[in-house]
Amino acid sequence: MTTTLLRTADELHARVRHGRRAVVMTMGALHEGHATLVRAARRIAGPDGEVVVTVFVNPLQFGEGEDLDRYPRTLDADLKIAEEAGADVVLAPSVDEVYPGGAPQVRISAGPMGERLEGASRPGHFDGMLTVVAKLLHLTRPDVALYGQKDAQQLALIRRMVRDLNFAVEIVGVPTVREDDGLALSSRNRYLSAEERRTALALSQPLFAGRDRHAAQEALRARAREVPATRAPAEALSALGESRAAADTHAVVKAVPGSAAAVRAAARLVLDEAARPTPPLVLDYLALVDPADFTEIDDDFTGEAVLAVAARVGSTRLIDNLPLTFGAAS
């Protein structure tokens, strides 16, 4: 397959469409995470459909002092990666093509969700992101658009925008791709020195610690459910070898499995250690949130949640997250 490079929406619209069009939006500097998105788009579009990858570094979503000027621009390499992953088209428009007449006066507001976590750290970022996503959805006219779950708040806001503003497109989230040591793939990883990269591992490690704590509590809760109803809870838990749990039966049996406080505490313990190396990991936030609105969850929460973290290593800011499911109390 040969991937066609286009510069304007008119060139894309002139192509004859067969089947579904699947779009993957990027800011370039493609890596295996993007390639995974493109391969997923290829499967969705099928052999008769069309996969379009957009490459556009959006100035609206970079705040003052952020890395717009040094953000990597590697179009030739991006074309190769997109082609190998199965893209039919790479659309790499100019700023004038996306924003004719200059920066748009009318923009999309991300609302309250856009002011939390990433929005609080990067004011205006999500307004700029949603504005360009809306523009690119209009310019590419896809049936389905795919986004990585690593940018969980971004994905949640795009889904909310599509629902609230009646965009006729299906939004698909694709799981985060990680390197062998657990570091989430990011275009900004290339900024890290060898020492900074070692420190950056502490971004994913607290997430895994929180996930493991959650899994352990879920397992204990499942074992507690297996206790015959005719036996006293403390006696039964002791028989299971859970002496500490037996000392506080009510807390173990009645608590929601994988309580939010315990998950946060396990993750925070790892983060505290990460502040000691040189260079240190400088925490921006650690949050355990409801993906519907990105507000912090309580200990009685049930359903899907996101454990999210953001931090700086040197001058590079990185984010990561893991999805967790909190089961219903019985």
Side-chain angles (χ1 to χ4, degrees):
M1 173 184 292
T2 299
T3 299
T4 301
L5 175 64
L6 303 178
R7 295 289 189 174
T8 69
D10 286 344
E11 291 175 306
L12 179 62
H13 298 164
R15 291 173 62 89
V16 177
R17 291 182 65 164
H18 300 285
R20 303 181 81 195
R21 175 178 286 169
V23 167
V24 174
M25 297 180 186
T26 82
M27 293 206 300
L30 302 191
H31 49 63
E32 179 57 26
H34 297 108
T36 298
L37 285 167
V38 177
R39 288 192 289 267
R42 181 79 272 163
R43 290 192 295 271
I44 290 172
D48 298 326
E50 183 179 54
V51 175
V52 178
V53 176
T54 66
V55 175
F56 180 67
V57 181
N58 177 34
L60 293 192
Q61 65 193 73
F62 288 80
E64 185 177 351
E66 293 189 332
D67 57 352
L68 174 61
D69 291 338
R70 73 166 182 151
Y71 196 87
R73 291 160 172 83
T74 57
L75 185 57
D76 289 342
D78 294 343
L79 277 168
K80 183 177 180 181
I81 291 173
E83 184 169 276
E84 291 174 349
D88 298 290
V89 172
V90 168
L91 175 64
S94 66
V95 173
D96 288 340
E97 171 73 8
V98 178
Y99 301 122
Q105 294 186 32
V106 176
R107 307 186 186 196
I108 291 179
S109 169
M113 195 196 316
E115 298 172 357
R116 298 172 186 136
L117 300 187
E118 283 299 290
S121 298
R122 306 176 66 188
H125 166 72
F126 284 127
D127 292 355
M129 179 277 294
L130 289 178
T131 298
V132 78
V133 168
K135 293 276 287 186
L136 290 172
L137 287 174
H138 289 312
L139 292 174
T140 59
R141 303 174 184 173
D143 299 290
V144 57
L146 296 88
Y147 303 89
Q149 292 178 356
K150 185 177 82 70
D151 296 295
Q153 193 171 2
Q154 169 179 287
L155 175 59
L157 281 162
I158 291 171
R159 283 178 165 150
R160 187 62 186 251
M161 177 186 75
V162 165
R163 182 171 67 250
D164 286 356
L165 301 185
N166 299 102
F167 280 76
V169 62
E170 177 187 357
I171 302 299
V172 173
V174 177
T176 300
V177 178
R178 299 182 181 278
E179 299 191 30
D180 291 342
D181 57 11
L183 184 67
L185 291 180
S186 170
S187 299
R188 290 184 169 93
N189 288 354
R190 67 187 66 194
Y191 298 158
L192 300 170
S193 68
E195 294 79 9
E196 288 172 340
R197 197 194 175 291
R198 283 193 291 272
T199 295
L201 288 176
L203 201 70
S204 58
Q205 290 166 349
L207 301 181
F208 300 148
R211 179 196 61 190
D212 292 346
R213 176 62 173 167
H214 173 264
Q217 290 183 298
E218 289 281 359
L220 181 58
R221 176 69 173 187
R223 292 173 69 184
R225 288 196 188 106
E226 295 172 0
V227 173
T230 56
R231 300 181 63 181
E235 177 186 325
L237 284 168
S238 293
L240 288 170
E242 304 291 350
S243 58
R244 289 184 62 189
D248 192 0
T249 301
H250 179 78
V252 174
V253 178
K254 298 298 183 183
V256 176
S259 71
V263 172
R264 290 187 184 98
R268 174 69 65 174
L269 186 62
V270 176
L271 284 170
D272 288 345
E273 291 296 320
R276 298 177 183 178
T278 302
L281 188 79
V282 181
L283 182 66
D284 189 344
Y285 61 76
L286 172 71
L288 183 56
V289 298
D290 182 343
D293 57 10
F294 272 70
T295 57
E296 292 280 353
I297 66 170
D298 298 322
D299 273 349
D300 60 354
F301 178 87
T302 60
E304 299 297 318
V306 173
L307 181 61
V309 65
R312 289 188 179 275
V313 184
S315 61
T316 303
R317 187 175 184 277
L318 300 172
I319 62 172
D320 201 353
N321 72 84
L322 277 179
L324 298 175
T325 301
F326 288 77
S330 59

